[in-house]
PDB file of all heavy atoms in Angstrom:
ATOM      1  N   PHE C  89      49.864  55.478 -20.802  1.00  0.00           N
ATOM      2  CA  PHE C  89      50.426  55.587 -19.439  1.00  0.00           C
ATOM      3  C   PHE C  89      51.946  55.395 -19.366  1.00  0.00           C
ATOM      4  O   PHE C  89      52.509  55.475 -18.283  1.00  0.00           O
ATOM      5  CB  PHE C  89      49.758  54.548 -18.522  1.00  0.00           C
ATOM      6  CG  PHE C  89      48.259  54.606 -18.535  1.00  0.00           C
ATOM      7  CD1 PHE C  89      47.508  53.562 -19.050  1.00  0.00           C
ATOM      8  CD2 PHE C  89      47.595  55.724 -18.042  1.00  0.00           C
ATOM      9  CE1 PHE C  89      46.120  53.608 -19.070  1.00  0.00           C
ATOM     10  CE2 PHE C  89      46.204  55.780 -18.048  1.00  0.00           C
ATOM     11  CZ  PHE C  89      45.462  54.728 -18.563  1.00  0.00           C
ATOM     12  N   GLU C  90      52.605  55.106 -20.507  1.00  0.00           N
ATOM     13  CA  GLU C  90      54.046  54.861 -20.538  1.00  0.00           C
ATOM     14  C   GLU C  90      54.421  53.745 -19.551  1.00  0.00           C
ATOM     15  O   GLU C  90      55.001  53.995 -18.494  1.00  0.00           O
ATOM     16  CB  GLU C  90      54.839  56.139 -20.263  1.00  0.00           C
ATOM     17  CG  GLU C  90      54.624  57.203 -21.331  1.00  0.00           C
ATOM     18  CD  GLU C  90      55.575  58.381 -21.203  1.00  0.00           C
ATOM     19  OE1 GLU C  90      56.443  58.344 -20.306  1.00  0.00           O
ATOM     20  OE2 GLU C  90      55.447  59.326 -21.990  1.00  0.00           O
ATOM     21  N   LEU C  91      54.097  52.536 -19.917  1.00  0.00           N
ATOM     22  CA  LEU C  91      54.355  51.359 -19.089  1.00  0.00           C
ATOM     23  C   LEU C  91      55.843  51.164 -18.861  1.00  0.00           C
ATOM     24  O   LEU C  91      56.680  51.605 -19.647  1.00  0.00           O
ATOM     25  CB  LEU C  91      53.775  50.099 -19.762  1.00  0.00           C
ATOM     26  CG  LEU C  91      52.272  50.107 -20.081  1.00  0.00           C
ATOM     27  CD1 LEU C  91      51.912  48.830 -20.825  1.00  0.00           C
ATOM     28  CD2 LEU C  91      51.456  50.227 -18.799  1.00  0.00           C
ATOM     29  N   SER C  92      56.176  50.474 -17.795  1.00  0.00           N
ATOM     30  CA  SER C  92      57.578  50.127 -17.539  1.00  0.00           C
ATOM     31  C   SER C  92      58.028  49.083 -18.564  1.00  0.00           C
ATOM     32  O   SER C  92      57.207  48.392 -19.175  1.00  0.00           O
ATOM     33  CB  SER C  92      57.726  49.558 -16.127  1.00  0.00           C
ATOM     34  OG  SER C  92      57.085  48.304 -16.021  1.00  0.00           O
ATOM     35  N   ALA C  93      59.346  48.980 -18.734  1.00  0.00           N
ATOM     36  CA  ALA C  93      59.895  48.030 -19.705  1.00  0.00           C
ATOM     37  C   ALA C  93      59.492  46.592 -19.376  1.00  0.00           C
ATOM     38  O   ALA C  93      59.240  45.791 -20.280  1.00  0.00           O
ATOM     39  CB  ALA C  93      61.418  48.156 -19.729  1.00  0.00           C
ATOM     40  N   LYS C  94      59.397  46.253 -18.087  1.00  0.00           N
ATOM     41  CA  LYS C  94      59.043  44.895 -17.686  1.00  0.00           C
ATOM     42  C   LYS C  94      57.611  44.548 -18.072  1.00  0.00           C
ATOM     43  O   LYS C  94      57.334  43.443 -18.545  1.00  0.00           O
ATOM     44  CB  LYS C  94      59.228  44.742 -16.167  1.00  0.00           C
ATOM     45  CG  LYS C  94      60.681  44.741 -15.724  1.00  0.00           C
ATOM     46  CD  LYS C  94      60.798  44.541 -14.225  1.00  0.00           C
ATOM     47  CE  LYS C  94      62.265  44.532 -13.783  1.00  0.00           C
ATOM     48  NZ  LYS C  94      62.393  44.374 -12.307  1.00  0.00           N
ATOM     49  N   ILE C  95      56.686  45.497 -17.880  1.00  0.00           N
ATOM     50  CA  ILE C  95      55.289  45.233 -18.236  1.00  0.00           C
ATOM     51  C   ILE C  95      55.136  45.123 -19.752  1.00  0.00           C
ATOM     52  O   ILE C  95      54.412  44.258 -20.264  1.00  0.00           O
ATOM     53  CB  ILE C  95      54.373  46.342 -17.674  1.00  0.00           C
ATOM     54  CG1 ILE C  95      54.401  46.319 -16.143  1.00  0.00           C
ATOM     55  CG2 ILE C  95      52.940  46.170 -18.184  1.00  0.00           C
ATOM     56  CD1 ILE C  95      53.583  47.418 -15.494  1.00  0.00           C
ATOM     57  N   LYS C  96      55.822  45.984 -20.493  1.00  0.00           N
ATOM     58  CA  LYS C  96      55.779  45.898 -21.955  1.00  0.00           C
ATOM     59  C   LYS C  96      56.315  44.559 -22.439  1.00  0.00           C
ATOM     60  O   LYS C  96      55.731  43.928 -23.326  1.00  0.00           O
ATOM     61  CB  LYS C  96      56.597  47.034 -22.578  1.00  0.00           C
ATOM     62  CG  LYS C  96      55.907  48.378 -22.545  1.00  0.00           C
ATOM     63  CD  LYS C  96      56.821  49.484 -23.021  1.00  0.00           C
ATOM     64  CE  LYS C  96      57.248  49.317 -24.440  1.00  0.00           C
ATOM     65  NZ  LYS C  96      58.054  50.473 -24.919  1.00  0.00           N
ATOM     66  N   LEU C  97      57.416  44.114 -21.830  1.00  0.00           N
ATOM     67  CA  LEU C  97      57.999  42.829 -22.208  1.00  0.00           C
ATOM     68  C   LEU C  97      57.047  41.687 -21.877  1.00  0.00           C
ATOM     69  O   LEU C  97      56.922  40.726 -22.660  1.00  0.00           O
ATOM     70  CB  LEU C  97      59.335  42.624 -21.491  1.00  0.00           C
ATOM     71  CG  LEU C  97      60.063  41.300 -21.784  1.00  0.00           C
ATOM     72  CD1 LEU C  97      60.364  41.173 -23.270  1.00  0.00           C
ATOM     73  CD2 LEU C  97      61.351  41.207 -20.965  1.00  0.00           C
ATOM     74  N   ALA C  98      56.354  41.796 -20.755  1.00  0.00           N
ATOM     75  CA  ALA C  98      55.391  40.756 -20.365  1.00  0.00           C
ATOM     76  C   ALA C  98      54.280  40.641 -21.411  1.00  0.00           C
ATOM     77  O   ALA C  98      53.865  39.531 -21.780  1.00  0.00           O
ATOM     78  CB  ALA C  98      54.805  41.071 -18.993  1.00  0.00           C
ATOM     79  N   GLY C  99      53.796  41.780 -21.907  1.00  0.00           N
ATOM     80  CA  GLY C  99      52.767  41.765 -22.943  1.00  0.00           C
ATOM     81  C   GLY C  99      53.269  41.145 -24.229  1.00  0.00           C
ATOM     82  O   GLY C  99      52.562  40.353 -24.879  1.00  0.00           O
ATOM     83  N   GLN C 100      54.510  41.461 -24.606  1.00  0.00           N
ATOM     84  CA  GLN C 100      55.103  40.900 -25.822  1.00  0.00           C
ATOM     85  C   GLN C 100      55.301  39.389 -25.687  1.00  0.00           C
ATOM     86  O   GLN C 100      55.041  38.629 -26.631  1.00  0.00           O
ATOM     87  CB  GLN C 100      56.439  41.579 -26.105  1.00  0.00           C
ATOM     88  CG  GLN C 100      56.314  43.056 -26.443  1.00  0.00           C
ATOM     89  CD  GLN C 100      57.650  43.771 -26.409  1.00  0.00           C
ATOM     90  OE1 GLN C 100      58.693  43.176 -26.693  1.00  0.00           O
ATOM     91  NE2 GLN C 100      57.637  45.045 -26.063  1.00  0.00           N
ATOM     92  N   LEU C 101      55.752  38.962 -24.515  1.00  0.00           N
ATOM     93  CA  LEU C 101      55.950  37.531 -24.272  1.00  0.00           C
ATOM     94  C   LEU C 101      54.622  36.782 -24.323  1.00  0.00           C
ATOM     95  O   LEU C 101      54.536  35.686 -24.904  1.00  0.00           O
ATOM     96  CB  LEU C 101      56.630  37.305 -22.918  1.00  0.00           C
ATOM     97  CG  LEU C 101      58.113  37.668 -22.836  1.00  0.00           C
ATOM     98  CD1 LEU C 101      58.600  37.591 -21.390  1.00  0.00           C
ATOM     99  CD2 LEU C 101      58.945  36.735 -23.717  1.00  0.00           C
ATOM    100  N   ALA C 102      53.576  37.378 -23.741  1.00  0.00           N
ATOM    101  CA  ALA C 102      52.254  36.733 -23.746  1.00  0.00           C
ATOM    102  C   ALA C 102      51.746  36.560 -25.171  1.00  0.00           C
ATOM    103  O   ALA C 102      51.227  35.495 -25.541  1.00  0.00           O
ATOM    104  CB  ALA C 102      51.274  37.567 -22.920  1.00  0.00           C
ATOM    105  N   ALA C 103      51.902  37.611 -25.991  1.00  0.00           N
ATOM    106  CA  ALA C 103      51.458  37.540 -27.386  1.00  0.00           C
ATOM    107  C   ALA C 103      52.253  36.492 -28.164  1.00  0.00           C
ATOM    108  O   ALA C 103      51.688  35.745 -28.978  1.00  0.00           O
ATOM    109  CB  ALA C 103      51.612  38.907 -28.050  1.00  0.00           C
TER     110      ALA C 103
END
Side-chain angles (χ1 to χ4, degrees):
F89 307 114
E90 296 190 3
L91 303 176
S92 68
K94 289 182 180 178
I95 295 177
K96 284 173 63 175
L97 179 59
Q100 294 167 31
L101 287 172

